[in-house]
Amino acid sequence: MKISENGDTIKVHYTGKLKDGQIFDSSEGREPLEFQLGAGLVIEGFNDGLLGMKEGETKTIEIPVEKAYGHKNQDYIVEIPKDKLDNSQEFQVGMQISFSSKEPDGQPIPVEVVAVSENTVTFDANPPLAGKDLVFEVEMVGILKA
């Protein structure tokens, strides 16, 4: 029986949860996630948790914050005066918007509005799952050996 290792292309069904059981993502009702192990395409803890699995095997992978999206970076939380923003936009806590980076390629940077005061809006550009331990229920659907 095949056992997954770095370099293999695998297919996996998964359900991602927070420690409190709240589901944040799942492949249920979709095609399984397919990617190459060890290629840096998924978070470290997810990749490592899939190593050594056999086709058809299921398991729970607990991923500490350090091997998930890391701790929240306070440098990614910025407060901007409203007069420096597009006044046509009504900002509300929880809104997801994008800013363009100053880099030549101008890649959009997704941010969440985390606070709105009379004169300022506070944005958080951390990944939504930063600072959280994660739990994945996984099923190894297929392994294509490298």
Side-chain angles (χ1 to χ4, degrees), residues 71-79 123-126:
H71 293 281
K72 277 199 177 253
N73 184 334
Q74 293 306 309
D75 292 341
Y76 293 173
I77 300 173
V78 296
E79 185 176 48
F123 300 96
D124 185 348
N126 282 286

Side-chain angles (χ1 to χ4, degrees), residues 49-100:
L50 296 168
L51 294 172
M53 287 185 71
K54 299 177 185 133
E55 283 186 8
E57 183 179 354
T58 61
K59 79 179 202 183
T60 300
I61 303 169
E62 295 194 19
I63 305 172
V65 66
E66 296 81 11
K67 293 199 175 222
Y69 291 92
H71 293 281
K72 277 199 177 253
N73 184 334
Q74 293 306 309
D75 292 341
Y76 293 173
I77 300 173
V78 296
E79 185 176 48
I80 300 176
K82 284 184 176 176
D83 62 7
K84 301 285 186 203
L85 298 166
D86 176 359
N87 357 0
S88 67
Q89 178 120 24
E90 276 297 317
F91 295 102
Q92 297 177 354
V93 172
M95 284 179 78
Q96 303 288 323
I97 64 169
S98 293
F99 285 124
S100 293

Side-chain angles (χ1 to χ4, degrees), residues 10-124:
I10 62 162
K11 290 183 179 185
V12 63
H13 272 299
Y14 66 91
T15 298
K17 304 176 191 176
L18 301 178
K19 286 281 197 179
D20 66 6
Q22 178 187 348
I23 295 173
F24 61 82
D25 194 13
S26 177
S27 65
E28 186 176 330
R30 302 187 313 221
E31 291 293 313
L33 176 63
E34 181 176 338
F35 67 97
Q36 183 181 18
L37 283 169
L41 301 172
V42 296
I43 58 174
E44 180 183 0
F46 190 69
N47 186 93
D48 292 352
L50 296 168
L51 294 172
M53 287 185 71
K54 299 177 185 133
E55 283 186 8
E57 183 179 354
T58 61
K59 79 179 202 183
T60 300
I61 303 169
E62 295 194 19
I63 305 172
V65 66
E66 296 81 11
K67 293 199 175 222
Y69 291 92
H71 293 281
K72 277 199 177 253
N73 184 334
Q74 293 306 309
D75 292 341
Y76 293 173
I77 300 173
V78 296
E79 185 176 48
I80 300 176
K82 284 184 176 176
D83 62 7
K84 301 285 186 203
L85 298 166
D86 176 359
N87 357 0
S88 67
Q89 178 120 24
E90 276 297 317
F91 295 102
Q92 297 177 354
V93 172
M95 284 179 78
Q96 303 288 323
I97 64 169
S98 293
F99 285 124
S100 293
S101 71
K102 293 180 182 178
E103 300 300 316
D105 62 5
Q107 291 295 312
I109 301 168
V111 299
E112 179 182 359
V113 176
V114 293
V116 179
S117 73
E118 187 177 331
N119 299 314
T120 64
V121 179
T122 304
F123 300 96
D124 185 348

